[in-house]
Amino acid sequence: MPSLPQEGMICPKGSVDSVDQARYAAAGVDIDAGNRMVELIKPLVRTTVRAGATAEIGGFGGLFDLKAAGFSDPLLVAATDGVGTKIKLAVETSRHDTIGIDLVAMVVNDLVVQGAEPLFFLDYFACGTLDPAVGSAVVAGIAAACREAGCALIGGETAEMPGVYGTGDYDLAGFAVGAVARENLLPRADIAPGDVVIGLSSSGVHANGFSLVRRVVAVLGLSWDAPAPFAPAHTLGDALLTPTRLYVQSCLTAIRRTKAVKALAHITGGGFVDNIPRVLPPDLAVLLNLDRISVHPVFKWLAAAGKISEREMLRTFNCGIGMIAVLDKHGAESACEKFAALGETPVRLGEIVAANGEQRVDFRGRLDLAW
């Protein structure tokens, strides 16, 4: 084995590059593959340009001009998230085109609950061995979701870490910053008993609870390419990979045009029980009628196949409701009409009530989990 040049030695032209790069590639890190991926995703990134950002990548940081975006006295709101073990399903089915949508949705849906308009997004892609085609497919989904949410993809990081991730495995994280005019920050301070609580329908499991989903599938011995029991026209893998619904544009429009939205709660890990109280004053609670929820078929199947209790379903999954909105009781009807006109399926679920001790979410009725 040739020895490395010693400190202070004069090396032949090109010897340092050739030795170091050969050793780095042999260790499992391919710099050229990273550069190829950057070139593949540049056109995708450019499609997310918006006022305040050029959506160009390649530098050491991304820039955003708040003044150019039309803000004069904004509050900045930041959020970060991943996609959990749903990523294992993408890897095991070799379908990588929608997991990036989940990544963006999980982050920007958290921004909009504070009334914030997403401005820019950055991603972190870590893998064992970089496959530029896989990486660019993931970024294609990220870019598509950024366009829908109205935010610019201004940068990111690709990390190739053999020994940390196995061959074919990867992980994702996303980071976004939004802005909201100071006077429009949610939740509002005037939430009161009698305010109306509505739910906006989900697209399916979204990106929470997949450790339990995968356990149910494993116990049943199902393959990802088998017909989905709850959607036989699709494979189980494709049906479960249905991406998280983006609520940004509908919620922002309803906030701005109706003035009735007092609070929003993104129903993610922790379900209804843990997420709704996060946006309520400590002396208030919510009364929800479970009979009014149109339970998505995937949750009926999971509850039956996995013998999962209603309580566990309500704390683990969205059960068919991906976003909760608290509406001023006098403007609730017009707000529901606006949400419907924007493509949402609003469901009146209950109302805000005075808190009774530590219980902040009170349920009436039962989920229709009949399978």
Side-chain angles (χ1 to χ4, degrees), residues 78-104:
T80 183
D81 209 338
V83 294
T85 59
K86 187 174 185 177
I87 207 160
K88 288 294 292 181
L89 182 49
V91 170
E92 289 169 8
T93 61
S94 298
R95 181 180 169 185
H96 311 285
D97 57 332
T98 62
I99 200 73
I101 300 174
D102 287 292
L103 180 67
V104 175

Side-chain angles (χ1 to χ4, degrees), residues 38-128:
V38 170
E39 292 306 311
L40 286 172
I41 67 176
K42 278 183 177 180
L44 301 171
V45 172
R46 292 187 186 114
T47 66
T48 70
V49 66
R50 57 151 292 159
T54 60
E56 286 289 341
I57 59 171
F60 286 93
L63 301 177
F64 193 92
D65 185 345
L66 280 170
K67 186 176 180 180
F71 291 93
S72 57
D73 184 27
L75 294 171
L76 294 180
V77 183
T80 183
D81 209 338
V83 294
T85 59
K86 187 174 185 177
I87 207 160
K88 288 294 292 181
L89 182 49
V91 170
E92 289 169 8
T93 61
S94 298
R95 181 180 169 185
H96 311 285
D97 57 332
T98 62
I99 200 73
I101 300 174
D102 287 292
L103 180 67
V104 175
M106 294 303 293
V107 179
V108 298
N109 285 344
D110 280 353
L111 292 182
V112 78
V113 301
Q114 295 187 271
E117 173 188 338
L119 302 176
F120 58 85
F121 189 90
L122 299 98
D123 69 279
Y124 176 75
F125 179 96
C127 60

Side-chain angles (χ1 to χ4, degrees), residues 49-357:
V49 66
R50 57 151 292 159
T54 60
E56 286 289 341
I57 59 171
F60 286 93
L63 301 177
F64 193 92
D65 185 345
L66 280 170
K67 186 176 180 180
F71 291 93
S72 57
D73 184 27
L75 294 171
L76 294 180
V77 183
T80 183
D81 209 338
V83 294
T85 59
K86 187 174 185 177
I87 207 160
K88 288 294 292 181
L89 182 49
V91 170
E92 289 169 8
T93 61
S94 298
R95 181 180 169 185
H96 311 285
D97 57 332
T98 62
I99 200 73
I101 300 174
D102 287 292
L103 180 67
V104 175
M106 294 303 293
V107 179
V108 298
N109 285 344
D110 280 353
L111 292 182
V112 78
V113 301
Q114 295 187 271
E117 173 188 338
L119 302 176
F120 58 85
F121 189 90
L122 299 98
D123 69 279
Y124 176 75
F125 179 96
C127 60
T129 302
L130 180 59
D131 182 335
V134 170
S136 62
V138 172
V139 175
I142 292 172
C146 282
R147 291 193 299 272
E148 184 175 340
C151 63
L153 177 56
I154 65 170
E157 173 69 8
T158 301
E160 193 171 21
M161 298 189 288
V164 176
Y165 296 96
T167 301
D169 284 337
Y170 62 86
D171 198 7
L172 295 171
F175 313 85
V177 171
V180 56
R182 195 176 300 270
E183 65 271 19
N184 294 331
L185 183 67
L186 295 183
R188 282 165 37 181
D190 61 343
I191 301 174
D195 284 338
V196 173
V197 177
I198 70 166
L200 304 181
S201 296
S202 71
S203 57
V205 184
H206 286 184
N208 293 104
F210 269 86
S211 293
L212 182 51
V213 172
R214 291 169 52 246
R215 181 178 179 183
V216 170
V217 172
V219 168
L220 294 175
L222 296 175
S223 65
W224 298 126
D225 58 1
F230 53 90
H234 303 277
T235 67
L236 181 59
D238 283 349
L240 289 172
L241 279 170
T242 300
T244 305
R245 186 171 180 83
L246 286 148
Y247 297 99
V248 171
Q249 295 304 325
S250 60
C251 286
L252 285 178
T253 302
I255 290 168
R256 293 165 178 170
R257 295 187 184 176
T258 72
K259 306 301 181 183
V261 180
K262 292 187 175 184
L264 295 166
H266 187 198
I267 305 304
T268 55
F272 297 89
V273 178
D274 291 343
N275 285 296
I276 299 176
R278 296 168 67 182
V279 300
L280 298 180
D283 60 334
L284 295 180
V286 60
L287 176 62
L288 296 181
N289 189 334
L290 298 179
D291 293 332
R292 296 178 181 173
I293 295 177
S294 179
V295 179
H296 193 289
V298 66
F299 299 114
K300 295 184 178 187
W301 171 72
L302 282 168
K307 297 180 175 58
I308 306 170
S309 71
E310 179 184 80
R311 179 72 178 181
E312 187 70 11
M313 293 294 295
L314 288 167
R315 199 175 184 190
T316 305
F317 300 111
N318 66 64
C319 297
I321 299 293
M323 184 72 76
I324 290 287
V326 177
L327 307 176
D328 183 282
K329 59 184 176 182
H330 300 296
E333 185 175 348
S334 63
C336 286
E337 291 174 354
K338 178 57 67 176
F339 275 118
L342 293 166
E344 301 292 354
T345 306
V347 182
R348 187 162 177 161
L349 297 178
E351 63 180 336
I352 298 298
V353 297
N356 182 14

